[in-house]
């Protein structure tokens, strides 16, 4: 069986620090910026609803330090590529990877925060396109690091918002706030329930010795993910517009009840109706899932994850065959409490809540089904829940 462990090992941040020392002849600040999982609450964040993510062991690491002058030197260790630019002339790069970092610098400059030249070596083990938010880890991790090295005094929530704006404006994906929020606010062994309107949050311990969070990675990444993402946002907005005729106080799908939606069903384009119906139900599922956690009922929690997948596949239509095959195979394994696609969709990972003794069977069945359907191997990662972005040294 394939190993389910983290292949990077603890040596990676030290290797990045060594590369920094070799390239820039100085001692860096070393920062760890985690990926995330989301237990339930998908496509609800930009509808001002609820999400339940957690920061995980897979991470991007930064070795960063100031440099005299106004030049910025970036080095992507995993790609073995470098990029340099001057703070005076920020422009998107054709190489694409620098844009996640330049976007952060752009936001700091626009906010009038005094940063100078700097050098940055980064790399990590969050699989790109896996739906574990490597982009948020890069953006929020750099914002956190620059805040430190230039003593900008930005509070954690300001870093979250700045990183989100960098993605919205420079990368061009209208992502919600979930990924950056959990990146900064994650806590070990806990999931975080976030109210994406008020930004109130609450931690729930999420640990039981006999349960594991297993991710199955389709390794499919489709460009559709970002174009369809923006389409879904537009469809949600269309639903809000229609319903706000009846309730002018209504601002987002967060404010919509199933009763209101049903009462006006006939006025909806059927596709828009299904999109809105999914979001309204998913918000409810997050609340119910948190009640399950309070009462320690992980079996009920898992069933809500299954319900979430049904809605994402049939009504929100952001799943794909690869994800569905993995979810179907997982849900058929005794000891798998819940399985669903995770993140924006159209590829990436499924998330599975699994009894430890069933992990091997899950991996075997999911791999068998995936091989039969696509002639390829999925990957598996067992996630442990870790803290949000933090300084490793000095
Ligand atoms: C992506 C976005 C998040 C969120 C999820 C779907 O990860 O970055 O803001 O919308 O998709 O839940």
């Amino acid at each position: 069986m394939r190993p389910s462990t983290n292949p990077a090992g603890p040596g990676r941040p030290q290797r990045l620090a060594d590369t920094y020392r070799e390239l820039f002849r100085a001692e860096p600040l070393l920062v760890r910026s985690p990926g995330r999982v989301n237990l339930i609450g998908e496509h609800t964040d930009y509808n001002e609803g609820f999400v339940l993510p957690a920061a995980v062991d897979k991470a991007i690491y930064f070795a960063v330090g100031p440099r005299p002058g106004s030049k910025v030197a970036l080095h992507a260790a995993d790609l073995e590529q470098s990029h340099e630019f001057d703070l005076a002339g920020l422009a998107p790069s054709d190489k694409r990877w620098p844009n996640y970092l330049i976007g952060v610098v752009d936001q700091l400059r626009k906010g009038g925060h005094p940063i100078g030249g700097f050098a940055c070596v980064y790399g990590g083990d969050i699989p790109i396109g896996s739906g574990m938010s490597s982009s948020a880890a890069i953006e929020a991790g750099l914002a956190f690091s620059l805040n430190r090295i230039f003593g900008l005094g930005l509070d954690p929530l300001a870093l979250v918002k700045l990183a989100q704006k960098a993605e919205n404006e420079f990368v061009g994906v209208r992502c919600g706030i979930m990924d950056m929020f959990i990146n900064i606010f994650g806590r070990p062994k806990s999931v975080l329930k976030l109210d994406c309107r008020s930004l109130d949050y609450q931690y729930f311990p999420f640990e039981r010795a006999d349960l594991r969070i297993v991710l199955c990675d389709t390794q499919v990444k489709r460009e559709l993910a970002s174009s369809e993402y923006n389409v879904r946002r537009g469809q949600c907005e269309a639903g809000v517009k229609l319903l706000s005729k009846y309730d002018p106080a209504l601002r987002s799908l967060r404010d919509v009840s199933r009763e209101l939606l049903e009462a006006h069903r006939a006025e909806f384009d059927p596709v828009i109706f299904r999109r809105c119906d999914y979001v309204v139900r998913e918000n409810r599922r997050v609340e119910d899932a948190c009640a399950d956690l309070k009462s320690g009922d992980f079996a009920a929690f898992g069933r809500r994850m299954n319900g979430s997948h049904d809605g994402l596949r049939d009504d929100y239509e952001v799943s794909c065959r690869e994800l569905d095959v993995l979810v179907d195979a997982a849900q058929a394994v005794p000891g798998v409490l819940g399985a669903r696609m995770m993140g924006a969709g159209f590829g990436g990972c499924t998330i599975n809540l699994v009894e430890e003794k069933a992990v091997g069977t899950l991996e075997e069945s999911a791999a068998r089904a995936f091989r039969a359907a696509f002639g390829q191997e999925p990957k598996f990662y067992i996630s442990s829940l870790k803290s949000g972005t933090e300084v490793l040294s000095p």
Side-chain angles (χ1 to χ4, degrees), residues 32-48:
R32 172 189 159 275
S33 177
R36 63 110 184 87
V37 292
N38 185 26
L39 271 303
I40 196 161
E42 220 64 89
H43 289 275
T44 43
D45 61 350
Y46 53 82
N47 288 300
E48 299 191 314

Side-chain angles (χ1 to χ4, degrees), residues 36 38 41-46 51 131-133 135-136 164 167 173-180 229 233 278 312 340-345:
R36 63 110 184 87
N38 185 26
E42 220 64 89
H43 289 275
T44 43
D45 61 350
Y46 53 82
V51 290
M132 296 171 77
S133 266
S135 52
Q164 185 195 9
E167 172 106 14
V173 177
R174 297 177 65 201
C175 69
I177 201 166
M178 164 170 75
D179 302 345
M180 290 76 183
Y229 187 90
R233 285 198 68 149
Y278 160 76
L312 288 160
R340 62 177 203 86
M341 57 150 277
M342 184 179 79

Side-chain angles (χ1 to χ4, degrees), residues 145-163:
S145 304
L146 296 180
N147 190 39
R148 283 290 170 122
I149 65 171
F150 293 113
L152 304 177
L154 291 165
D155 65 28
L157 189 56
L159 294 176
V160 167
K161 290 183 174 170
L162 189 137

Side-chain angles (χ1 to χ4, degrees), residues 43 46 168 171-175 224-237 316 346:
H43 289 275
Y46 53 82
N168 292 167
V171 182
V173 177
R174 297 177 65 201
C175 69
L224 260 189
S226 49
S227 56
E228 284 296 308
Y229 187 90
N230 290 347
V231 170
R232 292 299 176 284
R233 285 198 68 149
Q235 291 169 329
C236 293
E237 284 160 11
Y316 216 63
F346 301 105

